[in-house]
Amino acid sequence: MPELPEVETVRRGLAPILENTRIAKACAHAPKLRVDIPKDFNQRLSGALVTRLTRRSKYILMECEDGLVAILHLGMSGRITIHTAGSEHPARAKHDHITLLTENGDLVVFNDARRFGLLVFSSVSEIDQHALIKDIGPEPLGNGFNSAHLAAGLAKRKSPIKTSLLDQKLVAGLGNIYVCEALWRVGIAPTRLANTLSAEEIEALVPIIRTILEEAIAAGGSTLKDYAQVSGELGYFQHSFKAYGREGEPCIAKGCQATIERIVQSNRSTFYCPNCQK
DNA sequence: CGGCCAACCTGTGCGC
DNA sequence: TGCGCACAGGTTGGCC
């Protein structure tokens, strides 16, 4: 789930709870996720004033007044749940690894069954040079992501376009689902080698990637409106994908009679329409 | 360096 | 009901 739109949805859900708010008590309950949680996690965040929540690619950055930045990644199975002040705060559940209790009495819980997520510290001044951040490509919704950048990046790649778009150095934030969706919508076969795409195809791909991500963020936003009334769980909203997960089902493109197929590329499933995507 | 694979973990769903 | 296997939205270290 957590590709750029889901991470952005989580960030937007957390922002009103955490920004300009002091953390009363921070607790890390697991020694490590993908990497070690800082030993001084509880000490450094308990009492800290959160000034901003931002996002870079699939990382959520929690900035504190003293310049500390907590870098959070949800991995494959990471979830954030908010239990607002006044609601019952449940006992810690299996795989609840990190909890933040705010001065207002809101409780933020990070749960990650597979522990592919991570939380590490950096600082405002060093964040851009942090090993996890520095090589990431442009944000797909920003000006740095354009057909010139994409064309230059694809020209030197001999791997399939599907695999190339998953490379975070080329463009930030795309994952398996939205790459499949973008290639379906633009009509490009996932197996095409990156350096064989025409200028026109690249030109078409850029706005399609943007649109798909923006639509997904909007869909997440629409579920955010009532998250507090429902479950408090952020980031796992219902989606109707056009290609992803639809193996054996009919392609829904107008006039297309073909069936969505699944192949494996670089050990990841790819879903595509063999008729629409050339 | 580019490209590919295995590995990191646990949970779920399916066929038998 | 239980067992074994395939597979899951991400990233990276190691190997050609």
Side-chain angles (χ1 to χ4, degrees), chain A residues 83-131:
Chain A
H83 304 277
T84 50
S87 72
E88 190 180 345
H89 292 180
R92 189 157 64 88
K94 196 175 184 182
H95 306 308
D96 282 353
H97 302 307
I98 291 171
T99 55
L100 301 177
L101 178 66
T102 73
E103 60 183 338
N104 300 320
D106 297 321
L107 181 67
V108 174
V109 178
F110 174 68
N111 179 290
D112 183 6
R114 295 176 74 180
R115 300 203 304 280
F116 287 176
L118 66 80
L119 190 143
V120 294
F121 285 151
S122 182
S123 65
V124 173
S125 59
E126 294 169 1
I127 188 72
D128 289 341
Q129 287 311 310
H130 192 281

Side-chain angles (χ1 to χ4, degrees), chain A residues 214-233:
Chain A
E214 282 167 355
E215 287 175 359
I217 291 171
S222 68
T223 69
L224 259 193
K225 282 181 198 155
D226 52 18
Y227 81 85
Q229 306 154 34
V230 188
S231 68
E233 184 170 304

Side-chain angles (χ1 to χ4, degrees), chain A residues 98-276:
Chain A
I98 291 171
T99 55
L100 301 177
L101 178 66
T102 73
E103 60 183 338
N104 300 320
D106 297 321
L107 181 67
V108 174
V109 178
F110 174 68
N111 179 290
D112 183 6
R114 295 176 74 180
R115 300 203 304 280
F116 287 176
L118 66 80
L119 190 143
V120 294
F121 285 151
S122 182
S123 65
V124 173
S125 59
E126 294 169 1
I127 188 72
D128 289 341
Q129 287 311 310
H130 192 281
L132 292 170
I133 304 286
K134 65 181 171 59
D135 294 326
I136 297 176
E139 286 292 320
L141 300 180
N143 294 333
F145 181 63
N146 52 49
S147 52
H149 167 84
L150 190 57
L154 293 179
K156 50 190 177 191
R157 286 169 199 257
K158 294 174 180 169
S159 48
I161 182 64
K162 158 75 188 315
T163 311
S164 301
L165 291 174
L166 283 177
D167 187 342
Q168 304 295 298
K169 295 189 191 70
L170 179 64
V171 54
L174 293 180
N176 208 34
I177 291 178
Y178 294 110
V179 168
C180 289
E181 293 298 296
L183 290 176
W184 179 85
R185 205 181 289 193
V186 77
I188 296 173
T191 48
R192 284 269 302 283
L193 297 188
N195 61 7
T196 69
L197 265 64
S198 69
E200 291 72 24
E201 287 173 323
I202 293 171
E203 196 86 29
L205 191 49
V206 168
I208 281 178
I209 287 172
R210 283 219 183 89
T211 303
I212 289 204
L213 296 177
E214 282 167 355
E215 287 175 359
I217 291 171
S222 68
T223 69
L224 259 193
K225 282 181 198 155
D226 52 18
Y227 81 85
Q229 306 154 34
V230 188
S231 68
E233 184 170 304
L234 298 173
Y236 281 77
F237 41 90
Q238 290 302 312
H239 249 306
S240 56
F241 301 118
K242 306 292 204 305
Y244 184 86
R246 298 193 65 246
E247 180 183 17
E249 295 176 35
C251 177
I252 62 164
K254 194 173 182 183
C256 180
Q257 306 287 327
T259 298
I260 299 294
E261 292 185 6
R262 182 179 83 95
I263 57 174
V264 175
Q265 297 177 283
S266 298
N267 291 329
R268 313 291 306 277
S269 288
T270 299
F271 299 87
Y272 74 107
C273 174
N275 179 50
C276 295

